[in-house]
Amino acid sequence: MSCGVVDEEEFCRCCRLLLQHSNGVGDGWSWEAVRGSDEGYLKKTLLRSVPAERSVPQKHKEPGSDSEKFDYCHLQTEEQEKQGVDASSDSLRPDAEEEDDGVCGAPAGSSSVLQFEYHILYSCSYRTPVLYFRASTLEGRSLTLEDVWRTVHPNYRLGLQSRPLDAITQQEHPFLGQAFFYLHPCRTEEFMKPLLQMARDQNRQVNYVLSWLSVVGPMVGLEVSLECLKQQQLHPTTPQQLRVPLRGSIQQPKTL
Amino acid sequence: MADDKDVLRDVWFGRIPTCFTLNPDEVTEREAEPYYLLLPRVSYLPLVTDKVKKHFLKVMRTEDVEEMWFEHEGTPLKWHYPIGVLFDFHASNTVLPWSITVHFKNFPDVDLLHCPTNSMVEAHFMSSIKEADALKHKSQVVNDMQKKDHKQLWMGLQNDKFDQFWAMNRKLMEYPTEEGGFRYIPFRIYQTTNDRPFIQRLFRPVSTEGNPHTLFDLLKEMCPDALTKDGCLQHLPCLPWTSFMSLTLNLCFSSSPPPKVESASLLG
């Protein structure tokens, strides 16, 4: 793992380990294989409770309305400005913290439950993982880009908006062909580089995918469980272990 | 390069005669006439269908109008694919003009991306250009270009200005002569027989022995089922596309019946 990128083989290896740790703590990840090839991706579905002001799906605005005058990135700034006061006061409420940890059953009227589906794919163009996701209400209505922006915690919104290619955009899922949202991977190398360098300086082995996920996941409501990270600490990958075939030493999930 | 310029022009100015018909289930105040248009192969549907929208909006009430989307024989058309790719994939076996049905309701948001403005098309286009350069030059060329250069590239496409576009695009098509080509060739293969939307993998322009790879080599590696048993290419994929985007591929193939439609489209 030199520079800030990862090759496909290493990506798959990291996914296997992540899966293993996830199975150990019931974190809900699974591996989806692509028919007819050795490619695949990690998948996880969860229910998120999001404050009502941030979760109400709106009917998609038709072109020609006010939204057409703005770039999508700037549109959110306008909206955020309008909601500015509410959004920041949200984060101060003790409820807000609890509501975003994926647990349902928040006080009635103050939040709603959305279903999120996250996929981790490998990009051979950028040599990094990419996070795809989609969301819908429990009634099955897909969230629009505007809806999704509203679920992003205000603390992350400004950072995401200031660099358009890091923003959340819609994209076709490379294996399923369906509409997903994704975080553009072009800057992943940039933020992973110092992270990996630091680990090397401290003589620590890192799981690239797990580390990457702990950076990008929280922006879109995907927390990496502390238990999962702890598992990595307890069973770090050492250079010696890398050479041992996984079949013999560690139980490998059947799906891989 | 001088010979190639003719090919580049032929590709750029390629057009597909199209007939747009309003979905019969749309609520109209009077009957809608079909609308005929020549669509540029290299462009994208939202960029070139303003007139189509205006035409049909004349017979509809605003409250019945939501986001416009297109469909061919029941299949929603993905606006973020170049028009030429859509036609080759969905309709190259049918008679011209290409029949497209226009919808203003029931947007299929599981299958189609939303496209509220031209900025969205620009964002997708530039994202493709950047991804292609990541493969060709490790993003060095596209990152060295200034924002105004990116803008010129986009405006050239949007406004159908060949010279304006290629003034910028030629930088993205350069490579060090000693390398013999790009780092990897950006390509996508669309197959009607495949579940996945496209095949996109790493592919070097030159073999380890130093021989230039051909289109045949690419297909043999990526979709061997498309080739006949004795190794002949069944149907020539869109030839103009291969020479339009990649100057490093030496084309070497033999054509033979029967035809099987595929389309190789090269990013950026």
Side-chain angles (χ1 to χ4, degrees):
Chain A
M1 287 187 288
S2 63
C3 313
V5 296
V6 66
D7 67 36
E8 193 163 5
E9 201 182 310
E10 175 65 11
F11 167 79
C12 287
R13 197 187 67 84
C14 290
C15 287
R16 283 204 293 274
L17 286 167
L18 191 156
L19 196 56
Q20 200 183 310
H21 297 148
S22 162
N23 289 342
V25 301
D27 202 27
W29 286 99
S30 64
W31 177 261
E32 302 292 317
V34 175
R35 207 157 52 103
S37 85
D38 48 12
E39 291 163 283
Y41 54 95
L42 282 174
K43 174 178 166 179
K44 178 172 174 175
T45 308
L46 56 83
L47 294 175
R48 270 179 72 197
S49 180
V50 179
E53 310 83 75
R54 292 209 267 134
S55 71
V56 176
Q58 308 229 326
K59 198 166 172 194
H60 187 79
K61 290 185 183 133
E62 64 192 62
S65 67
D66 286 343
S67 61
E68 197 176 20
K69 296 184 192 134
F70 308 114
D71 252 286
Y72 245 68
C73 301
H74 296 122
L75 172 66
Q76 306 317 316
T77 315
E78 302 272 339
E79 285 215 9
Q80 192 186 353
E81 277 167 18
K82 285 178 207 160
Q83 296 173 9
V85 176
D86 292 339
S88 52
S89 65
D90 260 356
S91 57
L92 296 175
R93 286 190 336 191
D95 293 348
E97 310 265 88
E98 287 171 29
E99 279 161 5
D100 244 3
D101 67 359
V103 175
C104 326
S110 69
S111 69
S112 68
V113 176
L114 303 171
Q115 172 159 302
F116 275 74
E117 190 182 332
Y118 300 95
H119 295 193
I120 300 177
L121 275 68
Y122 180 73
S123 163
C124 57
S125 306
Y126 291 101
R127 295 175 296 160
T128 64
V130 192
L131 185 62
Y132 287 79
F133 65 99
R134 59 183 170 186
S136 59
T137 64
L138 292 182
E139 292 80 38
R141 177 133 59 127
S142 303
L143 262 62
T144 65
L145 184 58
E146 288 158 309
D147 300 329
V148 165
W149 269 110
R150 251 180 241 111
T151 68
V152 173
H153 197 281
N155 292 351
Y156 288 116
R157 272 191 222 160
L158 206 56
L160 282 173
Q161 282 162 10
S162 62
R163 302 195 296 196
L165 268 195
D166 301 325
I168 300 167
T169 54
Q170 267 202 315
Q171 182 59 273
E172 179 183 22
H173 192 290
F175 296 132
L176 303 177
Q178 293 176 334
F180 273 71
F181 299 105
Y182 88 147
L183 292 173
H184 205 281
C186 66
R187 298 228 189 259
T188 300
E189 183 180 357
E190 209 176 294
F191 71 73
M192 287 302 290
K193 221 171 183 166
L195 206 150
L196 295 172
Q197 183 61 52
M198 197 163 59
R200 261 201 304 276
D201 294 342
Q202 295 168 1
N203 247 335
R204 269 189 304 121
Q205 288 289 319
V206 288
N207 180 320
Y208 186 107
V209 175
L210 199 55
S211 304
W212 161 84
L213 188 61
S214 63
V215 174
V216 302
M219 293 190 218
V220 293
L222 185 58
E223 301 290 340
V224 178
S225 79
L226 267 179
E227 287 306 316
C228 222
L229 290 167
K230 274 191 211 160
Q231 285 279 317
Q232 195 198 202
Q233 301 278 50
L234 291 172
H235 307 286
T237 54
T238 63
Q240 290 73 34
Q241 278 180 304
L242 289 181
R243 291 189 204 110
V244 174
L246 287 179
R247 269 190 303 279
S249 53
I250 305 170
Q251 193 180 11
Q252 198 173 354
K254 282 191 193 145
T255 43
L256 289 181
Chain B
M1 186 73 186
D3 293 331
D4 290 336
K5 208 156 189 220
D6 286 337
V7 180
L8 296 182
R9 292 199 95 92
D10 284 346
V11 173
W12 181 270
F13 292 108
R15 296 287 186 266
I16 299 168
T18 310
C19 172
F20 289 90
T21 315
L22 188 63
N23 168 35
D25 292 340
E26 301 293 327
V27 178
T28 57
E29 293 180 331
R30 52 186 185 283
E31 188 163 343
E33 294 285 315
Y35 191 84
Y36 293 85
L37 200 54
L38 280 174
L39 298 179
R41 278 185 157 273
V42 302
S43 190
Y44 298 88
L45 284 170
L47 288 189
V48 298
T49 50
D50 272 344
K51 290 187 180 160
V52 176
K53 185 172 13 173
K54 284 193 174 77
H55 170 82
F56 290 116
L57 287 187
K58 278 190 280 190
V59 303
M60 299 179 73
R61 296 175 306 175
T62 16
E63 55 263 36
D64 297 322
V65 173
E66 289 165 16
E67 186 174 357
M68 182 171 67
W69 57 281
F70 304 104
E71 157 252 309
H72 170 78
E73 292 186 351
T75 309
L77 295 178
K78 296 183 176 178
W79 64 261
H80 64 286
Y81 287 10
I83 290 169
V85 174
L86 288 174
F87 175 76
D88 292 339
F89 187 84
H90 291 287
S92 61
N93 281 342
T94 64
V95 273
L96 294 173
W98 183 19
S99 275
I100 292 182
T101 307
V102 183
H103 293 255
F104 288 99
K105 278 195 126 47
N106 301 318
F107 190 91
D109 58 11
V110 171
D111 297 310
L112 290 192
L113 309 182
H114 284 287
C115 186
T117 64
N118 280 2
S119 308
M120 191 67 82
V121 188
E122 181 180 1
H124 266 275
F125 175 75
M126 288 312 300
S127 183
S128 288
I129 292 282
K130 292 189 185 201
E131 184 179 353
D133 204 57
L135 289 167
K136 288 187 285 189
H137 306 117
K138 282 192 177 182
S139 303
Q140 273 157 15
V141 174
V142 76
N143 286 345
D144 281 347
M145 286 167 76
Q146 295 180 14
K147 212 165 179 183
K148 65 177 175 67
D149 296 338
H150 293 168
K151 204 65 181 176
Q152 181 176 331
L153 194 67
W154 165 249
M155 298 300 284
L157 178 74
Q158 184 184 35
N159 302 331
D160 194 23
K161 298 270 188 270
F162 176 86
D163 293 316
Q164 185 186 17
F165 178 84
W166 272 99
M168 286 301 137
N169 199 39
R170 62 174 183 79
K171 297 184 198 174
L172 294 163
M173 301 305 281
E174 284 166 356
Y175 58 90
T177 17
E178 65 273 17
E179 300 290 325
F182 302 134
R183 183 173 154 82
Y184 295 104
I185 298 194
F187 74 90
R188 280 186 184 166
I189 298 177
Y190 302 86
Q191 278 181 289
T192 48
T193 50
N194 211 333
D195 278 345
R196 54 202 285 182
F198 51 78
I199 297 171
Q200 181 183 338
R201 311 218 64 174
L202 295 179
F203 188 76
R204 298 249 188 222
V206 177
S207 72
T208 37
E209 292 86 31
N211 303 316
H213 277 138
T214 65
L215 179 60
F216 181 74
D217 293 326
L218 175 74
L219 295 176
K220 200 165 58 171
E221 186 172 325
M222 302 298 165
C223 48
D225 299 335
L227 305 172
T228 59
K229 285 183 205 134
D230 54 26
C232 288
L233 202 56
Q234 285 205 330
H235 176 77
L236 175 60
C238 241
L239 167 60
W241 282 97
T242 56
S243 59
F244 174 66
M245 288 304 172
S246 177
L247 307 174
T248 64
L249 285 181
N250 295 317
L251 300 172
C252 175
F253 54 84
S254 65
S255 60
S256 68
K260 181 177 176 181
V261 179
E262 286 172 35
S263 175
S265 149
L266 301 178
L267 296 175

